[in-house]
Amino acid sequence: MAKRFSFRLEPLLKLRKSLEQDAQRQLALKIGARNDVELRLKALQEEHTQALESRRTGPGQEIDLTFWADLERYLMFMEKRIVHTRLDLETAEREVVQARLALNRAHQDHLMLLRLKERRQDQHALEILHEEIRDADETAVLRHRFGGAQPSPSPAP
């Protein structure tokens, strides 16, 4: 009776699969963080545009200089926040790229072990097949030696 296939590296295969799943979760978190920064940047740019639009005055309207001074300070503050948010976005993009690379590495490591397991399974199945063929040949030889020596009936003349 042939023994059942067992893969010695099965615990390592499970570990690599869990590492790949963890890398997928990390990538999803990094993409979510990047998307949040993008939304924050768009909101800041929209707020900046609205503040610029509020500077406009119609013909003949009086100009409030304190409002304009406060608005200019606010616009400078918004521009600094936009610059910092762009830097945050670049950092988030780099983190996404790193997370993708880590996922790619984890996936390759998992696939490498999975392919090794498949090759070993195929090799085991081939060995089992050879063993079964060898057993069938031995059985046929034994049958021939002990019971198959009788002549076959010839047709009557």
Side-chain angles (χ1 to χ4, degrees), residues 53-130:
E53 292 294 322
S54 70
R55 274 196 318 196
R56 290 189 181 172
T57 57
Q61 286 184 337
E62 64 182 49
I63 297 175
D64 185 3
L65 294 179
T66 57
F67 172 74
W68 267 49
D70 292 341
L71 187 59
E72 286 300 318
R73 279 193 301 269
Y74 179 70
L75 287 172
M76 298 257 305
F77 171 74
M78 289 297 295
E79 289 167 2
K80 286 180 183 178
R81 283 183 64 190
I82 288 172
V83 168
H84 288 295
T85 306
R86 283 190 179 135
L87 292 174
D88 291 344
L89 182 61
E90 290 174 9
T91 302
E93 284 289 343
R94 281 193 300 274
E95 290 176 358
V96 167
V97 168
Q98 290 173 351
R100 279 197 174 118
L101 291 173
L103 174 59
N104 192 18
R105 269 183 263 123
H107 182 66
Q108 287 174 349
D109 291 345
H110 177 245
L111 282 182
M112 178 182 63
L113 271 182
L114 196 59
R115 288 183 188 123
L116 177 63
K117 180 181 179 181
E118 290 171 357
R119 283 195 307 268
R120 296 264 171 93
Q121 272 182 320
D122 292 343
Q123 184 180 13
H124 178 75
L126 188 61
E127 289 171 1
I128 297 296
L129 179 64
H130 286 300

Side-chain angles (χ1 to χ4, degrees), residues 18-29:
S18 68
L19 289 174
E20 180 183 6
Q21 291 170 344
D22 185 47
Q24 286 174 338
R25 283 190 291 274
Q26 289 300 319
L27 176 61
L29 289 174

Side-chain angles (χ1 to χ4, degrees), residues 14-44:
K14 288 179 183 178
L15 174 67
R16 294 236 175 125
K17 182 172 178 66
S18 68
L19 289 174
E20 180 183 6
Q21 291 170 344
D22 185 47
Q24 286 174 338
R25 283 190 291 274
Q26 289 300 319
L27 176 61
L29 289 174
K30 299 294 182 187
I31 289 174
R34 183 204 55 203
N35 291 345
D36 290 344
V37 173
E38 280 180 342
L39 289 174
R40 196 172 60 211
L41 179 61
K42 286 179 184 178
L44 286 172

Side-chain angles (χ1 to χ4, degrees), residues 143-152:
R143 281 188 185 153
H144 179 70
R145 282 187 185 166
F146 295 116
Q150 300 169 358
S152 61

